[in-house]
Amino acid sequence: MAGEDRTGKKTAQGGAPGVRKLDRREVLMGLSTVPALGLFGYAWSRQRRYQQAKLQEAAAQPVAAGDLQEINVALLGAGAQGQVLTDAMLRIPGLRFRAVCDVWTEYNQKRVVNSLRKFKHEVNAYEDYREMLDKEKELDAVVIATPDFWHERHAVDCLKAGKQVYCEKEMSNTLEGARAMVAAARETGKLLQIGHQRRSNPRYLHCYERLLGEAKLLGRIVTINGQWNRALTPDLGAPDRYAIPEARLKQYGFRDMRQFRNWRWYRGLGGGPIVDLGSHQIDIYSWFLGTNPSAVTARGGTLYHDPVTHEWYDTAMVVYDYDTPLGPAMGYYQTQTTNGSQGYFENFMGDQGTLLISESDVHGARLYRDTNAPAWDTWVQKGFIAAPRIQEVKEKADTAVTDVRESVSPDEHQVPIVIRDPFHQPHLQNFFDAVRGKATLNCPSEEAYATAVAVLKVNEAIEAKSRLSFKPEDFKI
Ligand SMILES: NC(=O)c1ccc[n+]([C@@H]2O[C@H](COP(=O)([O-])OP(=O)(O)OC[C@H]3O[C@@H](n4cnc5c(N)ncnc54)[C@H](O)[C@@H]3O)[C@@H](O)[C@H]2O)c1
């Protein structure tokens, strides 16, 4: 039943006017309030609540372990995700932050530098990454969290400067960019991990290795459905006093502050919602099926937003075809950015059971045994899955007529994996373990390239309004 996946491992199936003046400390600590800074403040107060909680957790963790060879790290891109990665890295022993590079010197750069100094990391701050690479000779690794259209240049130049690189997804908004990144990793022999963090998530690993691989609880996966529905995201905005001068914005590829803050809305800067959100989950479709898609059909449209500000569609509905080692399969995927109903999850349906899984704890991971499947008691005893939750049976009134064709609800089993660390920590840990020569990367650039091929083709299919095929060699590099 087992096949080979793309890495050859065994697979499962085979500035608002009138704002209150904040003092410097309040601003740098991000304690801005919603009324004070409008949407900018709102976005940041949410971000900061998360961040403060994580920093408190981090404070309880050791930041260095005596017997570990210390790794000198720089952060390139200190925005929302750069902060999330920094918080996770502060919990990983043996890392020494040396530098932070960000073009928003007025705000993001200062914020992250200050939060690192609180943890006694004496970092140098840079606006230009080339200057950082030039001056910071001691650096071992660079963690990149800049907007997608910068990934190629940043990753390639860091690799060529001899650094090990962790780069956020999407590895690039173009396939040419993604290819250049793989080529640079090969040429330099340096590590390039891409931030598809589910690949290192204990919940996903347990389901992949134990439930699908060892126990084969789903039987043959025939269909998948998944989604990332996100509620409306307002213009992130920025108060005038933190505005980046126009000349600097242009130097870094942004027309104005609005475009700088909302780069995801613009063609050429991001890759649209399928890239921003879908790439995480479409990556899992291929991983769990043990194969890349053979074709894609997609529809997408700007159904809600003004196409002048939102150059990318806001809604996409996609169907992939797969030829898996066990037979044909189809995967539906939807992303829309106008309503957050039911959030995000992937639902794998086999001829013996279903796995509903999500990175989010709202859904966690649950299995449903189909009535025709053999008993799962052994797997409950082994601790692979929890005992079934008793399904509520609706008592039928004596007078009710029972329809014998009515399906019986399947048993629901929780997957007993509790995640205590921030989502990104295990993937970063895997990267730093690999830097120390103690692990292999869970998402090396070749693997992420195959995902980029599958994902970026959706945008082509939306434009073409037709079904597009893949050749197996499209995924090879
Ligand atoms: N893996 C995940 O779950 C996940 C989640 C969110 C974002 N991301 C990825 O992280 C990346 C950043 O996203 P974000 O939400 O933090 O965006 P953001 O706009 O909040 O942050 C980007 C930062 O990069 C800086 N920047 C822009 N161009 C630069 C350049 N040339 N040199 C140095 N700094 C530059 C900006 O000033 C900003 O601080 C994106 O690639 C995104 O897809 C991944």
Side-chain angles (χ1 to χ4, degrees):
M1 300 278 274
E4 295 280 308
D5 79 359
R6 297 179 297 185
T7 51
K9 290 177 199 154
K10 286 286 173 216
T11 64
Q13 286 219 100
V19 295
R20 176 172 74 88
K21 194 159 172 29
L22 299 175
D23 73 29
R24 196 176 134 77
R25 193 175 156 275
E26 273 179 296
V27 170
L28 294 181
M29 288 311 295
L31 300 177
S32 49
T33 60
V34 178
L37 288 178
L39 294 172
F40 175 77
Y42 173 68
W44 277 108
S45 67
R46 285 188 61 182
Q47 164 75 11
R48 287 303 297 170
R49 272 202 301 279
Y50 166 85
Q51 204 179 309
Q52 293 295 339
K54 294 296 166 202
L55 281 174
Q56 274 158 17
E57 281 175 36
Q61 303 288 321
V63 291
D67 55 342
L68 280 179
Q69 164 218 345
E70 208 161 57
I71 299 174
N72 293 313
V73 189
L75 176 72
L76 173 43
Q81 185 62 8
Q83 183 75 64
V84 167
L85 296 176
T86 302
D87 294 343
M89 284 188 279
L90 281 168
R91 297 164 54 96
I92 297 176
L95 304 185
R96 175 59 41 198
F97 283 90
R98 296 284 177 193
V100 171
C101 174
D102 196 291
V103 300
W104 200 5
T105 56
E106 295 79 356
Y107 195 85
N108 279 350
Q109 188 199 81
K110 279 188 188 158
R111 197 195 65 253
V112 173
V113 165
N114 282 8
S115 72
L116 283 170
R117 286 186 180 148
K118 274 184 73 181
F119 289 93
K120 305 203 177 345
H121 290 267
E122 279 311 315
V123 288
N124 297 318
Y126 296 91
E127 176 203 310
D128 187 335
Y129 76 102
R130 290 167 303 187
E131 188 189 347
M132 175 178 83
L133 291 176
D134 208 34
K135 292 195 174 150
E136 299 287 337
K137 298 291 181 210
E138 310 272 273
L139 277 184
D140 301 304
V142 181
V143 172
I144 301 173
T146 47
D148 299 2
F149 74 108
W150 270 104
H151 290 177
E152 175 195 354
R153 269 184 65 188
H154 286 160
V156 168
D157 288 354
C158 289
L159 289 163
K160 289 193 172 165
K163 313 302 169 201
Q164 318 279 11
V165 174
Y166 181 107
C167 180
E168 263 306 344
K169 55 57 62 181
E170 184 66 45
M171 77 184 288
S172 172
N173 58 334
T174 67
L175 275 188
E176 301 73 54
R179 275 196 285 272
M181 291 165 74
V182 177
R186 284 184 180 160
E187 193 184 308
T188 58
K190 295 291 169 190
L191 299 170
L192 176 55
Q193 169 105 308
I194 303 298
H196 290 294
Q197 72 275 2
R198 286 164 181 74
R199 295 267 182 160
S200 301
N201 181 311
R203 179 183 291 153
Y204 280 79
L205 285 167
H206 176 80
C207 291
Y208 176 76
E209 287 165 2
R210 299 267 173 276
L211 308 189
L212 306 189
E214 196 175 332
K216 303 194 178 1
L217 294 184
L218 301 193
R220 176 186 149 195
I221 298 172
V222 185
T223 55
I224 311 172
N225 72 294
Q227 67 169 49
W228 195 319
N229 288 349
R230 176 171 272 184
L232 288 171
T233 310
D235 177 347
L236 292 174
D240 288 347
R241 61 183 176 283
Y242 302 125
I244 302 176
E246 205 181 299
R248 199 197 311 157
L249 280 172
K250 293 219 158 39
Q251 185 188 339
Y252 293 107
F254 302 98
R255 194 163 59 219
D256 51 28
M257 273 309 274
R258 184 187 179 99
Q259 201 189 54
F260 168 75
R261 294 289 287 136
N262 305 292
W263 56 266
R264 286 175 170 80
W265 298 351
Y266 298 89
R267 285 177 189 260
L269 309 191
I274 199 72
V275 167
D276 194 35
L277 304 173
S279 67
H280 283 298
Q281 299 161 289
I282 293 161
D283 179 58
I284 303 302
Y285 285 16
S286 301
W287 183 32
F288 278 16
L289 286 175
T291 193
N292 293 303
S294 55
V296 64
T297 314
R299 293 278 291 122
T302 308
L303 310 183
Y304 183 87
H305 289 294
D306 179 351
V308 173
T309 52
H310 289 66
E311 292 178 3
W312 282 111
Y313 50 81
D314 47 47
T315 305
M317 297 184 180
V318 182
V319 177
Y320 284 106
D321 293 305
Y322 298 88
D323 294 316
T324 81
L326 299 183
M330 281 167 81
Y332 171 75
Y333 185 78
Q334 130 176 350
T335 178
Q336 50 104 344
T337 51
T338 55
N339 179 302
S341 174
Q342 295 171 69
Y344 52 100
F345 60 82
E346 303 88 62
N347 196 44
F348 294 87
M349 289 167 279
D351 55 6
Q352 299 193 2
T354 301
L355 168 65
L356 188 146
I357 186 168
S358 175
E359 184 183 60
S360 147
D361 291 332
V362 172
H363 296 293
R366 281 169 266 158
L367 264 94
Y368 299 89
R369 190 179 68 84
D370 262 27
T371 42
N372 60 319
W376 286 356
D377 303 6
T378 320
W379 309 110
V380 172
Q381 278 155 20
K382 284 191 168 191
F384 281 25
I385 49 176
R389 205 178 70 169
I390 307 299
Q391 297 292 314
E392 265 182 36
V393 180
K394 272 194 190 161
E395 296 238 335
K396 297 210 182 279
D398 286 349
T399 50
V401 179
T402 307
D403 183 342
V404 290
R405 296 162 304 174
E406 200 175 303
S407 302
V408 180
S409 3
D411 290 343
E412 179 187 294
H413 300 254
Q414 295 289 333
V415 175
I417 301 292
V418 179
I419 299 181
R420 294 206 168 79
D421 294 328
F423 295 149
H424 299 269
Q425 188 175 332
H427 205 46
L428 287 157
Q429 181 76 60
N430 167 252
F431 170 67
F432 292 114
D433 287 348
V435 170
R436 292 199 174 91
K438 297 201 161 102
T440 51
L441 294 179
N442 286 341
C443 191
S445 59
E446 287 87 351
E447 195 73 2
Y449 176 78
T451 294
V453 171
V455 172
L456 289 169
K457 195 80 153 188
V458 171
N459 289 340
E460 275 180 52
I462 289 174
E463 292 295 324
K465 291 198 170 78
S466 63
R467 182 174 184 270
L468 302 180
S469 298
F470 296 98
K471 297 190 285 299
E473 52 271 30
D474 292 345
F475 299 94
K476 297 206 174 86
I477 180 158

